[in-house]
Amino acid sequence: MSRRYAPPVRIAVYCGANLGARPAYGDAADLLGTTLAERGHDLVYGGGHVGLMGRVADAVLAGGRQVTGVITEHLMKFEESHDRVTDLIVVPDMPTRKREMFDRSDAFIALPGGVGTLEELFEVLCWRTLGLHEFPVALLEVAGYWAPMVDFLQRSVDEGFLAPRHLEALVVTEDPTELFERLGA
């Protein structure tokens, strides 16, 4: 399963199917999608038309780039699938969805979201620490949302459960332009 890094072209974005409590979250999704498109990248995401997912997909589409949505049969009942994506892939379950998104992506970015976002993020981060891929993993910090988790990861380093190099490999920034510059480094 080991895959090597090349400059990102297809970027997976993990984020909430809700907009969250702060307008800054939606604004960040718009800006991330716009920046992603301006830099010539395509989007791989959860396939929904709702919440932050819908906002980032709409911004990438408005920028003229390709958007691949991967959604489960189960979620098709609860989340409105995006009807304007370039490619919508319907899969039977969450493990298949996560694998499909991984196989189609060259980098991974998380916006704010709930347990699904965290689960997707930690899986690709874990796989990177295990050497199963060398693709960049990043957090777009919005209104301090990720700060407690980054503090927890630092505690994992301090307590000897996570190697410092693995935390250092996680890109964390509030600025989408800086994020993409660091992904390409």
Side-chain angles (χ1 to χ4, degrees):
M1 170 154 86
S2 181
R3 294 173 52 207
R4 298 247 179 235
Y5 172 74
V9 174
R10 299 168 302 168
I11 299 179
V13 174
Y14 303 126
C15 58
N18 295 306
L19 289 173
R22 299 173 189 248
Y25 300 143
D27 294 343
D30 296 340
L31 183 57
L32 177 63
T34 299
T35 306
L36 195 148
E38 287 174 351
R39 292 187 163 259
H41 301 296
D42 295 328
L43 173 66
V44 178
Y45 84 117
H49 193 283
V50 296
L52 299 183
M53 283 198 300
R55 297 274 294 260
V56 73
D58 287 343
V60 173
L61 288 166
R65 297 303 302 177
Q66 304 287 308
V67 174
T68 300
V70 184
I71 194 165
T72 66
E73 294 167 357
H74 175 77
L75 287 177
M76 289 282 290
K77 299 173 191 172
F78 301 104
E79 296 176 5
E80 181 182 335
S81 64
H82 203 302
D83 60 353
R84 293 186 303 119
V85 296
T86 311
D87 190 19
L88 182 66
I89 300 163
V90 181
V91 297
D93 53 44
M94 292 302 285
T96 304
R97 179 191 199 193
K98 291 185 301 175
R99 185 58 198 217
E100 190 74 30
M101 290 177 69
F102 175 80
D103 287 343
R104 291 174 177 271
S105 301
D106 303 305
F108 308 90
I109 299 171
L111 282 165
V115 294
T117 301
L118 292 170
E119 195 259 345
E120 292 167 326
L121 168 68
F122 275 110
E123 183 168 81
V124 296
L125 188 58
C126 177
W127 288 358
R128 182 171 169 124
T129 66
L130 294 173
L132 300 176
H133 72 84
E134 295 180 3
F135 298 116
V137 179
L139 301 174
L140 184 60
E141 178 62 276
V142 182
Y145 185 83
W146 293 117
M149 188 186 77
V150 173
D151 289 345
F152 173 77
L153 291 172
Q154 181 59 57
R155 180 168 180 174
S156 295
V157 169
D158 296 344
E159 296 295 328
F161 292 106
L162 181 66
R165 73 180 184 280
H166 295 309
L167 180 55
E168 292 163 6
L170 179 64
V171 174
V172 182
T173 182
E174 296 178 353
D175 179 10
T177 300
E178 178 186 339
L179 185 146
F180 284 105
E181 289 170 1
R182 291 176 63 189
L183 290 182

